[in-house]
Each structure stands twice: as structure tokens, then as C-alpha cells.
Amino acid sequence: MKVFGIKCKKCGDFIYSRAVHDFHYCSCKSCAIDGGQDQYFRIIGNKENWEIVKDVEIKAKDKKELYDDWNKDKNKYGWIKK
């Protein structure tokens, strides 16, 4: 499955949100993302610290699996570090 998110230009982490209230900071806390893959997304941090990245392949089979990963606190797919 492909997702979109942001890449921190300082620490190199790629972070994305799996559900509406799935809020993530990068390792260095320079940027964060929230909002899921469909509803809306919100990015926190100075624009010069992050860039939007689309079509990142993850092992989840669909959006329901991503949502369940967040909702059931499994966190198998929650963060892709540098």
C-alpha cells in the first residue's frame, strides 16, 4: 500500500498519519503530522524543516489495516525512521 507523509530535513525521518487522531513528531521534534490518509492532514513545524513525500510503499494491505494498527495500539506501521 502507498501512503503520503512528510520527511524531516533535519533528522531524515519519514512520518505519516494512519487515522484522524494519529499525531506523530519526527525524532528531533522539528515537525509533526496529523489527520490520516483521507480526511485531512495537518503539518506542524517550519516549512523549511520538512517536505511532503507521496507514494511511499508500506507493507499494510489496505487503509483498514492501517486504521486498526493505530486504533488497537499495535504500532506495526506507525513510523518509518531514517
Side-chain angles (χ1 to χ4, degrees), residues 3-40:
V3 296
F4 68 88
I6 59 174
K7 180 178 179 182
C8 178
K9 292 180 180 178
K10 288 187 169 186
C11 68
D13 286 356
F14 169 75
I15 54 176
Y16 68 101
S17 180
R18 298 163 291 178
V20 174
H21 299 292
D22 183 29
F23 180 87
H24 286 282
Y25 272 106
C26 65
S27 295
C28 71
K29 306 245 188 268
S30 293
C31 53
I33 193 167
D34 182 27
Q37 293 289 303
D38 287 327
Q39 314 301 327
Y40 74 96

Side-chain angles (χ1 to χ4, degrees), residues 2-3 30 40 49 56 59 61:
K2 293 185 179 184
V3 296
S30 293
Y40 74 96
N49 292 339
V56 174
K59 293 182 181 180
K61 64 182 175 185

